[in-house]
């Protein structure tokens, strides 16, 4: 079988833009953002999210040059393999596959728990099973069905955030009642308790959470191999990423910070539910449960897609058995799909049977995995540009160029690296380093031994 660089190109620009956006907007924003405000204070949280947005945008600018020059399916590890080293390419693929596969298990559980709010007499596992079947079938038939379903899932999340920002802003300026009163609230609560009520160190701790919250934008690179016109669709998706991240994330945080006392934020319930209840919106709990359910289904949908394409790409490169590169008549890598779904189900079982051992290790490793992938993307772009010019090419030949080279890729690489190191100063997250460092070393050793056995 000949080696391909991509699967069937059926994704349009609107699909890729919404998939990238939908990959970022998840339960972290809807449920956990209040806790972030509680820890870092309003201004500290805004600063952390702004730095996080700059970091992820820098990574996307690096990924843009690579994806347009080499629009391969499951591209990250191919770039890392070619411009950093085969072992690093293998590590990137395994970490990214693990990240999304572990996420699948938790998403299926969370979806079942939300459904039980409406149907308390039906066991959670029945709902989880239904969502497993739904997500599998969405990915099984064709990439077009996946892209269309993910577009609409993401659109619901985006509309919910836009509506929240509009209603919250109207309450802040006194047009809508808040807590039963019509009054101009303004932005005084942002600094009422000082700029950093828990100290500036809270910003660093929050940045770790923020970077993980922004993970998912790199899905643009995964979709490059199935985009209809990657030279146009990929840059367009990247250019709109930062603006939308700033509007949705920082806009939501500003509204929350202005309307919720920071000591109350994240302590009892979703900040979205808290604000909308104070405004007096009816059925707010059911509405938000539906939005969060959509976010969970969307994350599982994207997760299965991403992990499937990464396995296909590993098989296509010959890093793992080539059986994983086999596709259906509709261009879907079915064996890679079934393996990834099986991995998600095993993760789900480990969260029930071995939550304090196996599952804890898996979650700890997957928590750092995306930041390591970002570092690999930045370094691969630096090496790619130098190699490209050394081979006698000119910059004019590149259809898309990372601006401000080499500042942007080095900024992305160093800040991503600092995010990993900062975990040491947070006792609750420090355990991730204990598991991730040995896992990374094992991946390098495993690749070395596998390569030697193939050569001999």
């Amino acid at each position: 079988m000949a080696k391909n660089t991509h699967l069937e190109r059926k994704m349009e620009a609107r699909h890729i833009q919404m998939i990238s956006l939908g990959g970022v907007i998840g339960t972290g924003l809807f449920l956990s953002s209040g806790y972030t405000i509680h820890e870092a204070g309003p201004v500290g949280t805004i600063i952390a999210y702004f730095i996080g947005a700059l970091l992820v945008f820098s990574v996307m600018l690096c990924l843009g040059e690579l994806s347009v020059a080499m629009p391969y399916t499951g591209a990250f590890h191919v770039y890392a393999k070619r411009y950093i080293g085969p072992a690093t390419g293998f590590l990137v693929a395994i970490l990214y596959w693990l990240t999304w596969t572990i996420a699948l298990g938790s998403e299926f559980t969370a979806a079942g728990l939300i459904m039980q709010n409406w149907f308390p007499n039906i066991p959670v596992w029945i709902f989880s099973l239904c969502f497993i079947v739904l997500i599998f079938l969405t990915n099984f038939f064709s990439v077009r069905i996946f892209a269309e379903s993910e577009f609409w899932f993401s659109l619901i999340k985006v509309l919910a955030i836009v509506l929240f920002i509009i209603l919250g802003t109207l309450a802040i300026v006194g047009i809508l009642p808040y807590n039963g009163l019509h009054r101009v609230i303004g932005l005084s609560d942002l600094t009422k308790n000082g700029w950093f009520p828990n100290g500036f160190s809270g910003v660093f701790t929050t940045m770790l959470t923020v970077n993980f919250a922004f993970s998912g934008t790199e899905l643009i690179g995964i979709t490059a191999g199935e985009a209809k016109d990657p030279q146009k669709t990929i840059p367009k998706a990247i250019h709109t990423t930062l603006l939308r991240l700033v509007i949705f994330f920082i806009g939501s945080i500003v509204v929350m910070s202005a309307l919720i006392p920071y000591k109350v934020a994240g302590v009892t319930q979703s900040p979205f539910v808290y604000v909308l209840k104070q405004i007096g919106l009816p059925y707010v709990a059911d509405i938000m449960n539906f939005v969060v359910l959509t976010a969970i289904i969307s994350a599982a949908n994207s997760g299965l897609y991403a992990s499937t394409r990464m396995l296909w790409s590993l098989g296509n490169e010959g890093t793992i058995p080539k059986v994983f590169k086999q596709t259906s008549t509709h261009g879907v890598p079915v064996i890679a799909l079934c393996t990834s779904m099986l991995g998600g189900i095993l993760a789900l079982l480990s969260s029930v049977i071995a939550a304090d051992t196996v599952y804890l290790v898996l979650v700890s490793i997957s928590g750092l995995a995306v930041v390591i992938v970002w570092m690999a993307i930045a370094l691969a772009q630096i090496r790619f540009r130098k190699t490209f010019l050394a081979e006698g090419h000119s910059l004019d030949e590149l259809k898309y160029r990372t601006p401000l080279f080499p500042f942007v890729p080095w900024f992305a690489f160093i800040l991503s690296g600092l995010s990993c190191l900062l975990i040491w100063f947070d006792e609750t997250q420090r355990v991730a380093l204990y598991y991730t460092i040995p896992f990374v070393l094992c991946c390098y050793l495993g690749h070395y031994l596998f390569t030697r056995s193939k050569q001999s």
Side-chain angles (χ1 to χ4, degrees), residues 210-253:
V210 168
N211 286 343
F212 300 146
F214 279 132
S215 64
T217 46
E218 69 287 330
L219 278 168
I220 290 175
I222 298 285
T223 62
E226 291 169 279
K228 276 189 175 179
D229 188 358
Q231 293 183 356
K232 292 182 179 179
T233 54
I234 299 300
K236 187 175 181 181
I238 288 169
H239 285 148
T240 57
T241 297
L242 180 63
L243 179 62
R244 290 174 177 178
L245 287 178
V246 169
I247 292 172
F248 296 147
F249 277 80
I250 298 181
S252 299
I253 294 295

Side-chain angles (χ1 to χ4, degrees), residues 171-175 182-186:
I172 290 170
V173 299
I175 296 175
H182 276 280
R183 59 189 177 90
V184 178
I185 298 171

Side-chain angles (χ1 to χ4, degrees), residues 75-88:
F76 311 144
H77 88 95
V78 180
Y79 306 149
K81 175 184 177 181
R82 188 170 299 179
Y83 296 104
I84 303 175
T88 301

Side-chain angles (χ1 to χ4, degrees), residues 115-153:
M115 289 298 294
Q116 208 174 38
N117 289 324
W118 294 309
F119 306 98
N121 296 323
I122 300 177
V124 172
W125 71 266
I126 291 180
F127 289 120
S128 297
L129 181 61
C130 290
F131 286 117
I132 287 172
V133 173
L134 172 67
I135 297 303
F136 180 81
L137 293 178
T138 301
N139 280 264
F140 178 79
F141 290 109
S142 76
V143 69
R144 177 80 187 192
I145 292 176
F146 158 78
E148 202 62 43
S149 63
E150 189 56 27
F151 174 85
W152 291 105
F153 286 147

